[in-house]
Amino acid sequence: MYNALLFFILLTLVGCHTSNDKKEVPEATRSATAVVLENKVHNPDSITGGINIMGYFVEPSFAGVLQKDGSFKIELPADFDQTTEKAFKAYNASPVATYQLKYSTALESFPNADELSFTGKEVPLAFAGKYYRFEVSGSNRSAYIYPASSQNFTKYVIGTKDAVPETGHLYYYLYATAAFSIKGSLTTENIFEDGTEATYQRTDDYHLKINEGWNLIRYEINALTESAIGTRTISRSNVFNEQLTHQPDTWFLSAK
């Protein structure tokens, strides 16, 4: 269940590849600002650059700058749906397009919540960044910044092989073209993928009340379970939205 949720969420975080040889920090996107994020990454590593708020395949959209000391300011634009649509159209019309980029619906992004109390399943969504992260592209090394409880936690959610299961949380920003909601708990019976054929229960809680425009989502892993040979996996998770005025406390940087 978790793998399916992760797979569909990652599919929705589409956007662009940026060049690693930029010599100057790109200018911020020129549009009305809806949300301002200001913080300082925990491990700056002297990396600087413009902050790209889009994802894979489409042209970059820069809306912030990371300073050498790790401080940053990101201005999420009020017209992010229009920015996304324009970027998708440009990619789809290009000769390098290998498939059609389109908005993800709420149900496609949260497929395992289909049987819960779920309104607005067909609402189109746009996601800021790629794989929960904002890309930094500047004059030295390229990197990502992201709000989470630890670097390992984000690696584990993304599916990096060297990451280990742990409890914790991460945040990401979602732009909805209309309101929708998901509420309820889903408990499933699962099998450890370690040859033991042992089973375990997993419960996923959803408490999402999404408004039109920008929303801040918090994904938590609250508990783990372990097989007889020590394989650990998720036994409880929680997905809910915070007020946009809430600023995620801990940000990290990972170099490419």
Side-chain angles (χ1 to χ4, degrees), residues 208-225:
L208 292 172
K209 187 176 181 180
I210 303 301
N211 297 314
E212 181 180 352
W214 285 107
N215 296 267
L216 174 61
I217 311 300
R218 177 174 166 123
Y219 171 70
E220 298 178 341
I221 295 176
N222 306 115
L224 302 172
T225 190

Side-chain angles (χ1 to χ4, degrees), residues 24-229:
E24 296 181 356
V25 173
E27 291 188 4
T29 301
R30 304 290 186 182
S31 68
T33 299
V35 181
V36 177
L37 311 176
E38 291 187 90
N39 213 308
K40 186 174 183 178
V41 298
H42 185 71
N43 54 334
D45 200 23
S46 298
I47 292 178
T48 62
I51 297 174
N52 173 24
I53 59 172
M54 296 297 284
Y56 285 110
F57 303 120
V58 300
E59 286 299 312
S61 180
F62 292 95
V65 175
L66 177 67
Q67 305 293 343
K68 190 174 182 179
D69 66 353
S71 61
F72 63 85
K73 180 178 180 181
I74 303 172
E75 299 185 11
L76 298 178
D79 59 353
F80 191 68
D81 55 336
Q82 297 174 29
T83 301
T84 300
E85 184 175 11
K86 181 179 179 181
F88 284 3
K89 284 183 177 178
Y91 173 81
N92 293 338
S94 71
V96 300
T98 55
Y99 57 89
Q100 198 80 358
L101 293 179
K102 62 179 182 177
Y103 284 109
S104 168
T105 66
L107 180 58
E108 288 170 336
S109 297
F110 303 97
N112 298 299
D114 189 20
E115 301 304 317
L116 301 180
S117 177
F118 196 149
T119 66
K121 293 181 179 181
E122 300 307 312
V123 170
L125 310 180
F127 291 80
K130 49 189 176 185
Y131 299 168
Y132 311 110
R133 306 169 298 177
F134 294 101
E135 184 179 40
V136 178
S137 183
S139 57
N140 44 24
R141 289 175 292 165
S142 294
Y144 297 104
I145 62 173
Y146 50 89
S149 55
S150 74
Q151 290 179 281
N152 178 75
F153 186 87
T154 301
K155 287 182 179 180
Y156 176 61
V157 172
I158 291 172
T160 304
K161 291 182 179 180
D162 61 347
V164 296
E166 67 176 52
T167 57
H169 67 269
L170 60 77
Y171 289 95
Y172 58 96
Y173 289 86
L174 174 156
Y175 189 100
T177 59
F180 72 92
S181 65
I182 308 174
K183 187 173 183 179
S185 297
L186 177 68
T187 299
T188 55
E189 195 79 11
N190 302 275
I191 299 176
F192 281 100
E193 298 178 0
D194 60 0
T196 63
E197 297 186 359
T199 63
Y200 67 94
Q201 281 193 335
R202 170 173 171 159
T203 300
D204 297 280
D205 299 315
Y206 293 86
H207 300 279
L208 292 172
K209 187 176 181 180
I210 303 301
N211 297 314
E212 181 180 352
W214 285 107
N215 296 267
L216 174 61
I217 311 300
R218 177 174 166 123
Y219 171 70
E220 298 178 341
I221 295 176
N222 306 115
L224 302 172
T225 190
E226 190 171 302
S227 73
I229 62 173

